[in-house]
Amino acid sequence: MFKKDFPIFKNKDIVYLDSASSTQKPAVMIEALRDFYENTYSNVHRGTCSLAACATERYEQARKTVADLINMRAANIVFTKGATESLNLIAAGLAQHLTPGDEILISVAEHHANFVPWQQIALKTGAVFNVFDVREDGSYDTDDFARKLNAKTKIVALSHMSNVLGVVNPLTHLIDMAHAVHAVVVVDCAQSIAHMPVDARALNADFLVFSGHKLYGPTGIGILAGTDEMLDALPPYQFGGDMVRSVRIKETDFAAPPVKFEAGTPPFAEAIALSESITYVRQIGFDKIMAREHALMNQLLNRTIELPNVHILAPNPNKESLVAMTFGDIHPTDIAALIARQGICVRVGHHCAMPIHERFKTPVSLRVSLGIYNNADDIERFCNALEKALRFFKG
Ligand code: PLP
């Protein structure tokens, strides 16, 4: 139904089931990017000509579009180059407030982008790095969370949706518990943002991050949303042009957030293009997106569990838009290689989440993930190809 909006699917042979890694791009976004570069391009914030004014206005309007998507104010939205940079920015800033013996608490299911920065600042500052478990069905083990949260916990980093397990974690209660011990809460929405409404205000986290390229936007653009209080308290991540109010030989007065965190020429063309993607997604509506993706997930899970040797990682009927699987003694890479020959794009490996693979006692898995362009035929083609590949290896 929506395939026609995505130029890549003019090639009818492609079955794209790797949207958790990065989504395909709608024509409206590609066209907006081309139009901006062709007709109204100029750097933002510093110029006086009409091109510069127009670029600045569209960049700031894009900030507002992002803010509206997650129910925040534009002043709370920092443009970065991706979720990874957003998380590193937050970690680098918060590290300055950590002292030996402070604690950081995260889950074993985090993507490396929401794992390694916290591990590294713990090593650097002498903070204790605590990791809580997930249950067999992939949901957060809230008892383990409660056991490991304490008055020394200064940072809690969670994800709205796992990029391996596809489980959406209800976070409000955990965030309230973390706030009760005065911990700063960071929520990674890189996976959920394209599949369901995310209300940052209702979640009440201190920071929330995601990437544009997983939301049908261009690469090189990410979001860091923070509360007024947190953005004011966080020191700048990089220094340079634009992020200052005044510079003298002996001192610099930094601009107010969000500009304080946007040193140098920001990714404004990408921000403008991302805002087109957001408008496109919102015109379709998350109700429709969720209904379609749920139906496809049911089809996928019902078909694959019937197949011999298919083991779903953390079986759970409430998986949203992605599922990871293994195949007994057949290596997922071998299966992926065979089905790739039929034009089917899935992902194989640890998906930048080695600790959760270790937790489920497998080094790698094959991940199938959905986008708004997928349809029942894509799922059928994948399942048929998988069935054939399994027969090839097992006879
Ligand atoms: N967090 C999660 C849950 C992810 O799935 C990803 C990417 O796969 C990231 C963070 C990092 O996103 P990026 O590589 O766009 O910075």
Side-chain angles (χ1 to χ4, degrees):
M1 185 180 182
F2 298 111
K3 271 193 207 262
K4 61 173 183 2
D5 299 341
F6 292 78
I8 200 160
F9 296 119
K10 282 185 198 137
N11 179 347
K12 300 269 184 287
D13 292 335
I14 295 175
V15 174
Y16 192 75
L17 292 166
D18 195 17
S19 295
S21 175
S22 197
T23 55
Q24 293 298 341
K25 311 305 169 199
V28 282
M29 185 283 276
I30 300 169
E31 193 44 48
L33 195 57
R34 200 169 68 93
D35 178 61
F36 179 64
Y37 278 127
E38 276 186 7
N39 298 312
T40 58
Y41 182 80
S42 167
N43 207 337
V44 290
H45 288 164
R46 290 175 278 265
T48 47
C49 72
S50 63
L51 288 178
C54 171
T56 303
E57 194 184 319
R58 291 188 65 190
Y59 180 53
E60 294 308 327
Q61 184 54 43
R63 201 187 299 279
K64 173 91 176 63
T65 303
V66 171
D68 287 346
L69 175 73
I70 57 171
N71 191 23
M72 293 283 274
R73 289 183 309 112
N76 301 103
I77 305 297
V78 179
F79 285 116
T80 64
K81 74 179 166 62
T84 302
E85 187 177 54
S86 301
L87 289 161
N88 276 280
L89 188 163
I90 301 165
L94 294 181
Q96 300 190 20
H97 300 287
L98 288 179
T99 52
D102 285 344
E103 298 191 9
I104 300 172
L105 181 58
I106 75 160
S107 94
V108 69
E110 302 311 311
H111 185 280
H112 295 166
N114 198 26
F115 197 105
V116 185
W118 308 118
Q119 179 196 57
Q120 291 302 306
I121 65 164
L123 289 170
K124 222 174 181 163
T125 60
V128 178
F129 183 59
N130 275 329
V131 178
F132 71 94
D133 202 4
V134 296
R135 300 199 176 92
E136 283 304 306
D137 69 358
S139 60
Y140 277 171
D141 184 339
T142 46
D143 295 333
D144 199 33
F145 174 86
R147 261 193 304 276
K148 289 175 176 159
L149 182 77
N150 63 67
K152 286 186 265 170
T153 310
K154 294 290 180 279
I155 300 168
V156 170
L158 306 167
S159 53
H160 197 198
M161 173 177 164
S162 153
N163 71 315
V164 176
L165 309 172
V167 174
V168 174
N169 292 298
L171 295 180
T172 358
H173 183 51
L174 301 188
I175 293 172
D176 286 348
M177 286 170 72
H179 281 160
V181 299
H182 307 293
V184 174
V185 182
V186 182
V187 176
D188 176 0
C189 289
Q191 284 302 333
S192 56
I193 196 73
H195 303 283
M196 64 200 71
V198 171
D199 185 332
R201 220 174 291 211
L203 268 179
N204 196 26
D206 299 289
F207 294 106
L208 184 150
V209 307
F210 60 92
S211 289
H213 70 97
K214 293 184 200 284
L215 180 54
Y216 308 99
T219 55
I221 181 89
I223 302 301
L224 184 174
T227 59
D228 290 341
E229 190 195 351
M230 287 295 151
L231 292 181
D232 278 341
L234 205 67
Y237 183 51
Q238 292 186 328
F239 304 103
D242 224 24
M243 49 81 69
V244 296
R245 223 175 252 136
S246 70
V247 179
R248 295 196 180 76
I249 299 238
K250 294 229 159 130
E251 62 183 16
T252 292
D253 186 15
F254 301 124
V259 177
K260 177 171 89 170
F261 302 103
E262 295 180 358
T265 297
F268 52 91
E270 292 79 359
I272 291 165
L274 173 62
S275 72
E276 295 292 332
S277 305
I278 293 174
T279 304
Y280 169 76
V281 167
R282 294 192 79 180
Q283 272 163 2
I284 295 171
F286 280 110
D287 287 352
K288 196 181 249 174
I289 291 172
M290 289 173 79
R292 276 175 69 82
E293 292 183 354
H294 284 169
L296 295 178
M297 272 308 278
N298 283 340
Q299 181 190 352
L300 176 64
L301 290 174
N302 290 339
R303 261 294 250 117
T304 45
I305 50 172
E306 282 173 6
L307 300 175
N309 294 304
V310 173
H311 307 281
I312 304 288
L313 231 65
N316 184 330
N318 298 321
K319 285 186 186 294
E320 294 280 344
S321 81
L322 70 90
V323 61
M325 51 188 92
T326 57
F327 311 98
D329 57 358
I330 314 169
H331 202 284
T333 308
D334 293 334
I335 299 277
L338 270 192
I339 65 176
R341 285 192 205 158
Q342 297 172 56
I344 295 167
C345 309
V346 292
R347 188 132 300 238
V348 70
H350 52 63
H351 323 305
C352 298
M354 292 171 93
I356 193 63
H357 278 86
E358 198 180 337
R359 159 71 179 78
F360 283 99
K361 300 187 173 47
T362 179
V364 295
S365 61
L366 181 149
R367 183 182 68 189
V368 180
S369 57
L370 306 176
I372 43 186
Y373 27 68
N374 289 122
N375 57 26
D377 187 50
D378 292 339
I379 303 296
E380 205 48 33
R381 280 175 65 185
F382 165 75
C383 292
N384 290 341
L386 175 62
E387 198 169 1
K388 219 159 119 190
L390 289 167
R391 257 204 315 270
F392 176 82
F393 288 110
K394 282 292 176 185

